[in-house]
Amino acid sequence: MVTGSDATPGSQSALRQANESRIVEVLRREGTRTQAELARATGLSAASVSNIVRGLRTAGTVSVKNTSSNGRRARAVTLLRPPGTVVAVDFTAEQIRVAVGDSEGKMLARQGIAYDVAADPDRAVRRAVWLTETVLFGARIDLGTVSSVVASVPGPVDPDSGEVGGISSVPLWTGFRPAKEMEKRLGLPVRAENDANLAVLAEQERGTARGAEHVIHLLLSEGVGAGLLVSGTLFRGIGGTAGEVGHIGLDPRGQVCRCGNRGCLETFVGTSYLLSMLPRNNGLGREPDRANLSDLLLAAEEGDPGSRRIISEAGQALGEGVAIMANLFNPERVVVGGELAGAGDLLFAPMRSAMELGTLGSAVERMELGASSLGADASLYGALRMAADLPA
């Protein structure tokens, strides 16, 4: 397995990187060349050139086509993009996913595992490092070619200290610095970022918010987070808590939220709160404490009145919360992500109605509402994009 120590000077990894650089430099300077020409230009053996070109092709750095040279069959190599790879790590409360991308953030390989991330941040980081090495090894990509890593975290992250904030779906991560711990184990620069912030970047680049400059991306799960783009720039706030919209107060007499206040938006749309509203005699075919959100959505789709009412009221509350944000930020696009977005118009119809009632007419007229087109992969794609944009 590839480890961080493999890239030390004088190691096989360092030698391979040096040889890769020689081949890339020839291609950059002289254009398309056959593998035989690359061997002559670099002084490397034909076998070494073949192995290095194979790795560069896997990473999306070069293309290889069959051709002929002096009447013989040959392999023509063309440089497609600068060499190098980036890594995205996505932590959720119950899963770790890793994706490897090329220097422009295009995904090359990915893998995910079920894991109790919320239970122990240090162990979760160790597991994420193992998974990163596993994915790189499987894709035949050397750790030494990775320029940066971005970790998606389900909670606010202080942009200065890298610490995870106190109100999140992973409370044991409070004060933890995942980027710092991953850097120690990988020997690479790592940045931690809030999952909703990364999701809005991905939606702007390739999803429902493509091309928009002023965007609110709502990420619905146990809590409610939002990624905010203002004039095309990610807005984090002074301590990284901008977008913690789940704690907008809607009802001063409502349920007590985990933040200590009453009637927060999260208590109307958070997964555990929604499931707690299910009656004992429900249309799910199981007790509420054994149900999950997928069960609720399926029952609603099949016409269960209790499930439909729960989702409809969640949509209304979400619309009231968005109306407050819309009057503040005047967005052109509002994107809703997370499993609850799969309820479709059962969620979106009451949400639109509440937005129309609570938002300034001039603002709501130019605002578009839609479900995420990237779904659960939004944060992962956003992490790849951010990693590719970081300076080498």
Side-chain angles (χ1 to χ4, degrees), residues 120-131 185:
D120 187 328
D122 193 63
R123 291 182 64 184
V125 162
R126 291 201 299 271
R127 196 65 170 167
V129 169
W130 167 83
L131 185 59
R185 292 172 170 83

Side-chain angles (χ1 to χ4, degrees), residues 63-364:
S63 66
V64 180
K65 294 183 179 180
N66 292 322
T67 186
S68 61
S69 178
N70 297 323
R72 298 180 179 179
R73 288 188 299 175
R75 305 269 282 172
V77 184
T78 302
L79 184 66
L80 297 178
R81 57 177 62 88
T85 50
V86 295
V87 171
V89 179
D90 182 29
F91 293 101
T92 67
E94 300 175 344
Q95 190 180 44
I96 302 172
R97 298 185 300 164
V98 170
V100 177
D102 62 21
S103 59
E104 297 177 346
K106 179 183 177 182
M107 191 180 294
L108 304 173
R110 61 183 294 175
Q111 189 173 334
I113 57 172
Y115 195 79
D116 188 2
V117 169
D120 187 328
D122 193 63
R123 291 182 64 184
V125 162
R126 291 201 299 271
R127 196 65 170 167
V129 169
W130 167 83
L131 185 59
T132 298
E133 293 174 336
T134 299
V135 175
L136 288 168
F137 183 78
R140 298 182 180 180
I141 297 173
D142 199 292
L143 183 64
T145 68
V146 177
S147 60
S148 59
V149 180
V150 170
S152 170
V153 180
V157 178
D158 189 299
D160 296 322
S161 68
E163 288 188 359
V164 179
I167 304 299
S168 74
S169 60
V170 285
L172 292 180
W173 285 55
T174 301
F176 186 63
R177 300 182 181 185
K180 181 179 179 180
E181 295 304 315
M182 291 187 72
E183 284 182 350
K184 290 179 183 177
R185 292 172 170 83
L186 285 172
L188 295 167
V190 181
R191 174 177 292 185
E193 184 59 82
N194 171 262
D195 53 358
N197 287 348
L198 294 170
V200 75
L201 292 176
E203 291 289 349
Q204 183 202 40
E205 180 183 45
R206 59 170 65 207
T208 303
R210 180 177 296 178
E213 292 288 300
H214 310 288
V215 183
I216 296 174
H217 182 287
L218 297 166
L219 193 55
L220 311 180
S221 59
E222 277 298 313
V224 185
L228 306 174
L229 288 182
V230 179
S231 298
T233 301
L234 188 62
F235 181 70
R236 297 182 178 89
I238 188 64
T241 60
E244 289 300 309
V245 299
H247 304 289
I248 292 175
L250 296 181
D251 181 2
R253 297 180 181 273
Q255 291 190 62
V256 175
C257 179
R258 57 195 167 100
C259 73
N261 294 325
R262 280 188 178 273
C264 292
L265 175 60
E266 180 178 305
T267 66
F268 292 89
V269 298
T271 299
S272 60
Y273 290 99
L274 294 179
L275 296 178
S276 71
M277 297 178 196
L278 287 167
R280 286 290 169 186
N281 183 19
N282 57 66
L284 277 65
R286 66 177 72 184
E287 293 295 306
D289 56 2
R290 300 182 61 188
N292 56 43
L293 192 58
S294 297
D295 296 325
L296 178 67
L297 296 180
L298 180 59
E301 183 180 341
E302 293 177 348
D304 176 61
S307 300
R308 294 175 70 86
R309 178 63 178 264
I310 289 170
I311 294 173
S312 177
E313 290 184 353
Q316 180 178 344
L318 200 57
E320 291 173 5
V322 170
I324 295 171
M325 290 183 277
N327 287 334
L328 287 172
F329 291 101
N330 191 202
E332 58 189 296
R333 209 80 50 88
V334 175
V335 182
V336 184
E339 191 175 1
L340 186 59
D345 210 43
L346 188 60
L347 178 78
F348 286 103
M351 187 178 173
R352 288 190 188 95
S353 296
M355 289 167 60
E356 289 170 357
L357 288 174
T359 309
L360 289 172
S362 59
V364 76

